[in-house]
Amino acid sequence: MAARGHVQDPNDRRLRPIYDYLDNGNNKMAIQQADKLLKKHKDLHCAKVLKAIGLQRTGKQDEAYALAQEVAALEPTDDNSLQALTILYREMHRPELVTKLYEAAVKKVPNSEEYHSHLFMAYARVGEYKKMQQAGMALYKIVPKNPYYFWSVMSLIMQSISAQDENLSKTMFLPLAERMVEKMVKEDKIEAEAEVELYYMILERLEKYKEALDVVRGKLGEKLTSELQSRENKCMAMYKKLCRWPECNALSRRLLLKNSDDWQFYITYFDSVFQLIDESWTPPPEEEHSLEGEVHYSIEQAVKFIEERITEESKNSRPLRGPYLAKLELIRRLRYRGCNDEYKLGDPEELMFQYFKKFGDKPCCFTDLKVFVDLLPSSQYTKFISQLLEVIPLSATAENEIALPADIKALQQHLCVVQLSRLLGIYHAMDKKEKLTVVQELMLRYRHGLEFGKSCLKTELQFSDYYCLLAVHLLLDLWLEGEETAVWQCLTLLEEGLSHSPSNAQFKLLLIRIYCRLGAFEPVAELYSSLDAKHIQHDTIGYLLTRYAESLGHYAAASQSCNFALRFFHSNQKDTSEYIIQAYKYGAFEKIPEFIAFRNRLNSSLHFAQVRTERMLLDLLLEANISTSLEESIKSMSLSPEEDDIPWKDLRDNRDLTVLFNWDPKDRDISEEHRKLSLEEETMWLRIRSLTLRLVSGLPTLSHTIQPKNSEKTAENGVSSKIDTIRSLLQQLEAAVDSGKKFLEQKIQYPVLGPPPTRMAGFFSNGSCQCQTSLFYLVSDIYELDTNGLEDSAEIQERIGNSFKSLVERLTDLFNKCKGDLIEVRDGTLKTHPNLLENLVFFVETISIALWVSSYCDSVLRPFKSNLQKKKKKKKESSVAMPPVFTHFLDYVTELQTLTSNVIDHIKGLEIILTALKLEELSLKDTLLLQEEKKFTKTVQGKVQSSYHHSVQEIGELLKKRLDTIKKLKI
């Protein structure tokens, strides 16, 4: 200890055990240790805070908060207490309290660089840009370091970005930031690249492109070295903004001479050449063409330049793709302008053939050529494919056998041709028999190709995986054409493919989509978790999971999948703040607006709003009036019927709808129109679900109060405004339902691998929608009865009685739509009926809403009945006439009970049928299946059967709990 040259603070030694307990997750011991220490040292603030952290982590939030505020009120300035409080507030998700903490510390220790920088970062966490600007300048005054000065400048830019008024941003914040940087430039104090980047960013936002260009081209621009071609890229961006096409052209030409494989510069080169042609630009006679050197301003020069690049490239030891693709790009542009024949660049078909010969063994060959296939006339497709096949070295062992590749290169070339055949629609034109023959051939090639991948690791993909995927795509075509067995063969081949290539995400994603289409969710959960989706993927591909989990009756899995997604969205808030702080620390200023835009995009994510809404509805479905009362459930979720926290105008569709590989021609592929329609449908469905949730959350607010009802009292209690909210929401629900029905009249069919449709169509067609809406109208009637009393309300009572009757009829009708076999064996093949499962799930949801509404009816009618009985006793009359509403309600509850019991019996019957279904006896009459495939078919069918069994069990369990609730509803 003495050798260290300084004495350790005794408090650190005393606190060490508490820190250790907290680090090891032993929170109870940490609290005990802190209590011991506080008995001896009452003024040890840090021990109190560490105890509060222990309390927070053991779920005692209120005690923790009280203790923390006790210490914060003393305005501590010791490092230990401040850091401990910062950790605690962060865990409480209260970053705004950290700012108050350091504001107090800075007042007490005004010259501390450390506390000032902590205060700046605390403001950064809560996005207080004005205060950040002030804190940055205060820091710079204490310690004149450049980074602190530029923190202040960046905070001005952030004020301009977040300002609602664009005019204010351009006339006040940005010019001020510009003047601050110019001051440093004049004093020659610019030191780092980040500072130049910041100057460039300000000028660009002020649209001072000329000045920005001068900065980049001048002495300051020499500091831009961290990114490759950073300076050139910035110059190019400014030339484009200023429409200085000669400079654009000369710069891109010069960069292509350096690297003739950089595609972005080919695009700029062509754009600028055609701009100059359209402007009839000619070079000035005596001077240089442009600031950047020689300019090409005619098609002849462009053609010559590209030909030269190809000649140069052919001398290279490593072939480059850029020049060859540039030639095809030029042909495409010339065709678009209708002047291809004048410049003999060659026949696109021949050029693509030559390209294939050069690069056909590279996996990128297909994606390169895909862009240019529209240059081929459709009459040449078959000839073009035959031409490509002729140059692939394939060898057949016997006369009638399929010729197979002898090495990986030949396999890659053949795969490229097969993908092109699919893209050109050659496979789509075949009949059923031809398609099945191609499927067999592709699977033969797939299994043969596995020999080349024997040494592959489990995490690597097999070279021939695409053959299997293409075969599955062909079978999907057959399934859509009505061939029921094809879908089982799809699953069989994909499961086989996955057994050889366990890390192939495409196999997993396709299996997820097909299992969900068949109504089997059980295998999907495992497949999705094996994808190991990270971070942003919970938003981009999470919809594959959350769309089906609940609707197929897997309530536990649905809860889990919602949790996965919500955990990511909630941590995004905290994480982004940390990224922003790191960006300030390391001077990566241009990244800060990107992080903020990223956070906003996630906050207004469509998927986030959907998952939040569905999760709350699911929690109510599983718990409200079962383990906790509806009122408690709604309170714990902080739900309020008046509040709508979905940013409807800013909703962003972050789904990745092209995550599944696809080789379909353009007319069959997912289009921009499909995306728009899907977003529209998803938003309508979200609106219906959100309004349903808000209506349910309004039920406890109407709950009965025993005071006599008179209008003044009611208005005073604010209950009448509550019923107005319910009625207004009901009108909005009606409008949303009407829009949804109109939308569905378009009968949109998305591509099979495109966006999955919502549950809206089923919700309307099976009658759940009408049932749920009627239930909310019933609430309004019951409320009216409650306010008017029983005496003069014969008409309302009759209306309520009729509502009860029609509700039972509608619910019975909905149950009838759930009847039928979930899985049936027809002509030796399995046929699933996922729509029956979805109807059952809707039935459970509707009956739950019916019970919540019935509880409200019960709370209104019970006091009326007890009052009547009291009158009866007083008057000692044996026959006080019971108002009809009581009989109606009792009959209704009895019928609900009978109906629910019938559904539970029906579900038991389904369970028995599913258990008894002997899948082994299915004659897999398609003798095309090999023994290997039969094994996988059995697995697949077993998974589907088990999943349906699981769904039916979960639905049955939930309905039994609901039945118990009905039995308690006896007024």
Side-chain angles (χ1 to χ4, degrees):
M1 290 285 279
R4 284 190 187 175
H6 72 277
V7 180
Q8 187 187 10
D9 181 353
N11 283 342
D12 284 357
R13 194 180 65 248
R14 290 174 189 139
L15 295 167
R16 174 60 36 214
I18 310 178
Y19 280 117
D20 291 341
Y21 284 131
L22 287 172
D23 288 345
N24 299 328
N26 195 343
N27 299 313
K28 284 185 179 168
M29 282 303 290
I31 295 168
Q32 284 175 19
Q33 190 70 29
D35 281 334
K36 270 187 204 169
L37 195 53
L38 285 166
K39 275 178 189 167
K40 291 182 188 171
H41 306 276
K42 283 181 181 159
D43 302 336
L44 195 48
H45 305 320
C46 186
K48 271 189 189 177
V49 184
L50 294 178
K51 178 185 174 182
I53 292 176
L55 290 167
Q56 168 73 16
R57 289 178 184 175
T58 48
K60 295 174 182 168
Q61 283 88 350
D62 295 343
E63 282 180 57
Y65 180 68
L67 209 51
Q69 290 312 87
E70 212 177 287
V71 178
L74 300 169
E75 300 184 347
T77 53
D78 64 298
D79 230 13
N80 285 338
S81 300
L82 288 170
Q83 286 185 0
L85 276 167
T86 304
I87 291 168
L88 175 63
Y89 289 148
R90 216 179 289 175
E91 286 185 16
M92 288 177 161
H93 305 294
R94 300 285 302 273
E96 71 283 358
L97 296 176
V98 181
T99 58
K100 289 178 183 155
L101 203 59
Y102 279 102
E103 278 166 4
V106 161
K107 272 181 195 161
K108 285 189 173 178
V109 192
N111 288 335
S112 164
E113 179 184 359
E114 188 187 350
Y115 290 173
H116 271 284
S117 67
H118 277 309
L119 178 61
F120 181 88
M121 294 311 175
Y123 287 141
R125 279 197 182 90
V126 291
E128 289 264 17
Y129 303 123
K130 186 165 178 55
K131 288 184 177 172
M132 284 163 73
Q133 180 203 340
Q134 292 160 353
M137 282 317 286
L139 246 174
Y140 183 67
K141 280 173 188 163
I142 298 166
V143 190
K145 290 181 185 172
N146 268 20
Y148 298 151
Y149 186 85
F150 284 95
W151 283 6
S152 186
V153 175
M154 186 63 215
S155 305
L156 269 171
I157 297 178
M158 291 316 298
Q159 283 179 72
S160 90
I161 291 172
S162 60
Q164 300 295 321
D165 180 1
E166 201 178 321
N167 193 28
L168 186 70
S169 146
K170 290 216 167 140
T171 54
M172 189 170 110
F173 297 125
L174 289 171
L176 180 56
E178 184 190 9
R179 285 201 298 277
M180 282 178 77
V181 182
E182 276 172 357
K183 178 175 178 283
M184 295 298 264
V185 174
K186 280 175 190 154
E187 291 171 13
D188 200 19
K189 285 186 182 172
I190 299 276
E191 293 166 2
E193 179 180 4
E195 295 158 13
V196 181
E197 290 269 13
L198 194 56
Y199 192 19
Y200 173 81
M201 188 175 16
I202 294 166
L203 293 170
E204 192 181 14
R205 285 178 181 275
L206 278 168
E207 295 174 16
K208 293 188 172 183
Y209 304 129
K210 169 85 178 63
E211 290 83 343
L213 186 62
D214 294 341
V215 168
V216 178
R217 285 180 59 86
K219 191 179 161 200
L220 288 175
E222 290 167 16
K223 294 188 189 293
L224 300 170
T225 52
S226 66
E227 274 180 51
L228 200 62
Q229 292 171 335
S230 165
R231 209 171 171 186
E232 287 85 348
N233 285 330
K234 284 184 167 57
C235 281
M236 190 76 85
M238 290 304 103
Y239 288 142
K240 282 182 186 170
K241 295 272 190 195
L242 292 162
C243 294
R244 285 170 61 168
W245 300 111
E247 278 78 9
C248 259
N249 180 277
L251 180 57
S252 52
R253 192 189 127 273
R254 204 176 75 221
L255 290 166
L256 285 169
L257 289 172
K258 265 195 221 168
N259 173 10
S260 60
D261 209 30
D262 199 326
W263 188 249
Q264 60 170 333
F265 295 129
Y266 278 114
I267 299 299
T268 314
Y269 175 76
F270 290 139
D271 285 346
S272 57
V273 167
F274 289 117
Q275 284 284 355
L276 292 170
I277 291 169
D278 292 342
E279 289 170 12
S280 314
W281 184 87
T282 51
E286 308 268 310
E287 306 158 33
E288 258 201 277
H289 282 199
S290 74
L291 281 175
E292 299 287 353
E294 190 191 333
V295 177
H296 286 171
Y297 52 93
S298 70
I299 293 175
E300 291 84 349
Q301 285 171 309
V303 171
K304 186 177 169 219
F305 179 67
I306 297 299
E307 294 288 9
E308 280 169 7
R309 297 287 58 71
I310 291 175
T311 317
E312 283 294 314
E313 191 282 324
S314 56
K315 297 173 191 168
N316 246 343
S317 56
R318 185 175 141 265
L320 300 174
R321 291 146 50 216
Y324 298 97
L325 292 170
K327 196 171 188 178
L328 286 163
E329 176 65 20
L330 184 53
I331 291 174
R332 202 237 299 267
R333 288 182 179 229
L334 288 169
R335 269 210 189 165
Y336 179 71
R337 296 169 73 88
C339 56
N340 185 30
D341 294 338
E342 301 163 44
Y343 308 96
K344 300 294 178 207
L345 277 160
D347 177 25
E349 190 182 338
E350 181 55 31
L351 290 173
M352 285 159 89
F353 175 60
Q354 294 303 331
Y355 186 82
F356 176 79
K357 275 171 48 177
K358 233 179 173 51
F359 301 104
D361 59 339
K362 304 273 188 292
C364 60
C365 182
F366 168 73
T367 42
D368 288 346
L369 291 179
K370 181 182 179 180
V371 186
F372 300 108
V373 288
D374 52 353
L375 295 175
L376 297 173
S378 52
S379 55
Q380 299 291 314
Y381 289 169
T382 320
K383 183 185 146 219
F384 175 62
I385 294 294
S386 310
Q387 198 182 357
L388 297 183
L389 283 169
E390 280 165 22
V391 293
I392 305 174
L394 301 175
S395 51
T397 42
E399 207 171 298
N400 290 334
E401 283 199 5
I402 291 171
L404 297 165
D407 57 18
I408 296 169
K409 274 192 166 187
L411 182 136
Q412 281 290 7
Q413 284 178 307
H414 189 268
L415 249 180
C416 179
V417 178
V418 176
Q419 292 175 77
L420 283 167
S421 305
R422 173 91 183 160
L423 179 71
L424 295 171
I426 291 171
Y427 289 158
H428 294 90
M430 293 177 173
D431 62 23
K432 178 187 161 185
K433 197 177 171 191
E434 288 172 314
K435 278 182 182 170
L436 285 171
T437 314
V438 174
V439 168
Q440 270 183 295
E441 185 199 322
L442 289 172
M443 285 313 290
L444 181 85
R445 290 186 180 283
Y446 166 67
R447 293 185 184 109
H448 167 259
L450 291 175
E451 290 173 20
F452 301 123
K454 279 182 179 167
S455 60
C456 284
L457 299 172
K458 273 194 168 179
T459 48
E460 293 177 319
L461 307 188
Q462 289 290 337
F463 297 105
S464 58
D465 277 354
Y466 279 7
Y467 281 129
C468 184
L469 271 178
L470 282 152
V472 170
H473 278 233
L474 275 165
L475 287 165
L476 279 176
D477 292 348
L478 286 171
W479 182 45
L480 292 178
E481 287 159 21
E483 188 60 39
E484 204 53 52
T485 50
V487 72
W488 297 100
Q489 216 174 330
C490 281
L491 291 171
T492 301
L493 300 186
L494 286 168
E495 289 281 7
E496 182 187 341
L498 198 56
S499 70
H500 297 298
S501 193
S503 293
N504 191 320
Q506 287 300 319
F507 286 160
K508 292 175 186 175
L509 289 165
L510 204 43
L511 276 167
I512 286 174
R513 284 304 296 270
I514 298 172
Y515 275 129
C516 285
R517 284 283 292 252
L518 291 176
F521 188 78
E522 200 172 46
V524 169
E526 197 183 324
L527 283 163
Y528 187 83
S529 75
S530 73
L531 276 170
D532 201 14
K534 293 271 194 300
H535 201 69
I536 188 73
Q537 287 173 314
H538 288 302
D539 192 17
T540 56
I541 61 172
Y543 71 94
L544 295 171
L545 197 64
T546 50
R547 155 67 183 87
Y548 290 103
E550 184 191 349
S551 63
L552 295 174
H554 282 259
Y555 297 119
S559 270
Q560 207 178 0
S561 57
C562 288
N563 281 347
F564 274 148
L566 289 174
R567 204 172 301 139
F568 159 65
F569 284 115
H570 292 315
S571 69
N572 151 53
Q573 281 291 7
K574 199 169 72 198
D575 294 349
T576 317
S577 301
E578 295 311 312
Y579 304 151
I580 291 167
I581 284 168
Q582 294 307 319
Y584 270 109
K585 276 185 185 166
Y586 297 107
F589 296 123
E590 76 279 10
K591 293 291 166 212
I592 295 171
E594 287 176 31
F595 286 138
I596 303 241
F598 174 74
R599 177 167 69 192
N600 294 343
R601 184 168 174 176
L602 283 179
N603 285 343
S604 47
S605 157
L606 166 75
H607 186 231
F608 180 29
Q610 285 171 324
V611 172
R612 237 179 22 225
T613 307
E614 290 297 342
R615 174 64 218 251
M616 290 195 268
L617 278 167
L618 182 63
D619 282 352
L620 291 178
L621 190 64
L622 298 177
E623 290 164 14
N625 288 356
I626 294 176
S627 53
T628 55
S629 72
L630 178 64
E631 190 170 355
E632 281 167 19
S633 299
I634 285 166
K635 198 177 169 187
S636 70
M637 292 178 196
S638 317
L639 264 175
S640 151
E642 293 87 1
E643 283 172 28
D644 184 5
D645 60 352
I646 296 173
W648 294 105
K649 285 181 183 162
D650 305 319
L651 275 183
R652 291 291 296 267
D653 185 2
N654 299 332
R655 294 173 301 164
D656 182 356
L657 298 176
T658 52
V659 66
L660 287 150
F661 285 170
N662 200 341
W663 298 274
D664 286 342
K666 252 188 192 157
D667 58 331
R668 286 168 172 264
D669 204 356
I670 175 172
S671 65
E672 205 45 52
E673 185 63 15
H674 286 135
R675 286 171 192 275
K676 267 191 205 155
L677 289 166
S678 173
L679 173 59
E680 197 182 330
E681 183 181 346
E682 294 285 355
T683 311
M684 282 176 182
W685 178 235
L686 174 61
R687 202 177 283 279
I688 291 171
R689 300 297 278 168
S690 165
L691 287 165
T692 306
L693 177 65
R694 287 168 66 195
L695 278 161
V696 170
S697 74
L699 288 176
T701 61
L702 302 173
S703 58
H704 191 76
T705 43
I706 295 173
Q707 305 153 340
K709 295 283 173 197
N710 56 40
S711 52
E712 295 112 59
K713 203 82 179 162
T714 314
E716 221 175 278
N717 293 341
V719 180
S720 67
S721 63
K722 299 285 183 196
I723 193 70
D724 293 340
T725 307
I726 298 275
R727 285 170 182 156
S728 149
L729 288 174
L730 200 43
Q731 282 178 337
Q732 290 174 47
L733 181 64
E734 286 279 20
V737 166
D738 287 343
S739 321
K741 284 179 177 165
K742 275 191 193 119
F743 179 86
L744 290 175
E745 281 166 14
Q746 300 173 61
K747 294 195 167 47
I748 294 147
Q749 284 291 322
Y750 300 111
V752 67
L753 300 177
T758 63
R759 300 164 63 195
M760 193 157 65
F763 181 62
F764 292 155
S765 65
N766 63 27
S768 309
C769 176
Q770 293 83 335
C771 274
Q772 293 186 14
T773 320
S774 315
L775 280 161
F776 294 123
Y777 274 117
L778 175 63
V779 171
S780 179
D781 287 344
I782 295 280
Y783 180 82
E784 212 173 313
L785 178 72
D786 194 11
T787 12
N788 294 346
L790 293 175
E791 281 74 31
D792 317 314
S793 56
E795 191 192 324
I796 302 174
Q797 290 189 44
E798 193 182 336
R799 205 162 64 216
I800 291 172
N802 292 338
S803 295
F804 283 148
K805 273 183 200 143
S806 79
L807 269 168
V808 172
E809 282 166 19
R810 280 182 170 162
L811 283 165
T812 312
D813 200 34
L814 174 52
F815 170 42
N816 290 334
K817 288 182 179 159
C818 303
K819 287 178 180 171
D821 289 332
L822 295 174
I823 301 180
E824 58 173 330
V825 180
R826 201 189 286 164
D827 306 333
T829 57
L830 273 189
K831 171 105 177 85
T832 62
H833 295 286
N835 59 315
L836 293 179
L837 203 52
E838 294 217 9
N839 287 352
L840 261 175
V841 170
F842 273 130
F843 177 84
V844 176
E845 188 179 296
T846 310
I847 205 94
S848 300
I849 294 176
L851 292 179
W852 298 327
V853 171
S854 303
S855 292
Y856 170 60
C857 299
D858 183 68
S859 73
V860 169
L861 296 177
R862 214 177 268 262
F864 280 141
K865 189 161 187 185
S866 61
N867 285 344
L868 279 171
Q869 281 168 339
K870 280 175 195 168
K871 277 183 191 172
K872 203 173 174 181
K873 279 181 186 170
K874 273 183 191 173
K875 293 185 177 179
K876 296 186 179 165
E877 284 177 32
S878 55
S879 59
V880 171
M882 268 292 172
V885 71
F886 293 115
T887 332
H888 294 321
F889 182 63
L890 284 173
D891 291 349
Y892 168 65
V893 171
T894 314
E895 284 173 325
L896 274 189
Q897 192 173 331
T898 314
L899 178 62
T900 311
S901 301
N902 290 345
V903 181
I904 292 171
D905 291 343
H906 169 66
I907 287 175
K908 279 181 192 157
L910 289 177
E911 276 191 60
I912 293 164
I913 294 168
L914 283 168
T915 316
L917 198 65
K918 294 276 185 287
L919 296 176
E920 303 83 73
E921 290 165 19
L922 280 182
S923 58
L924 295 166
K925 60 174 183 164
D926 200 340
T927 46
L928 293 173
L929 291 179
L930 308 169
Q931 199 51 45
E932 173 81 347
E933 287 183 6
K934 283 182 181 164
K935 181 183 88 182
F936 287 110
T937 305
K938 210 168 163 184
T939 312
V940 162
Q941 293 178 335
K943 281 182 179 178
V944 172
Q945 182 190 15
S946 157
S947 176
Y948 268 90
H949 195 258
H950 190 127
S951 297
V952 167
Q953 270 180 329
E954 281 209 41
I955 294 170
E957 288 300 312
L958 185 52
L959 266 181
K960 279 177 199 162
K961 289 176 186 169
R962 286 287 166 215
L963 183 59
D964 294 340
T965 325
I966 302 177
K967 288 174 183 170
K968 292 173 193 164
L969 282 176
K970 293 278 193 272
I971 49 171

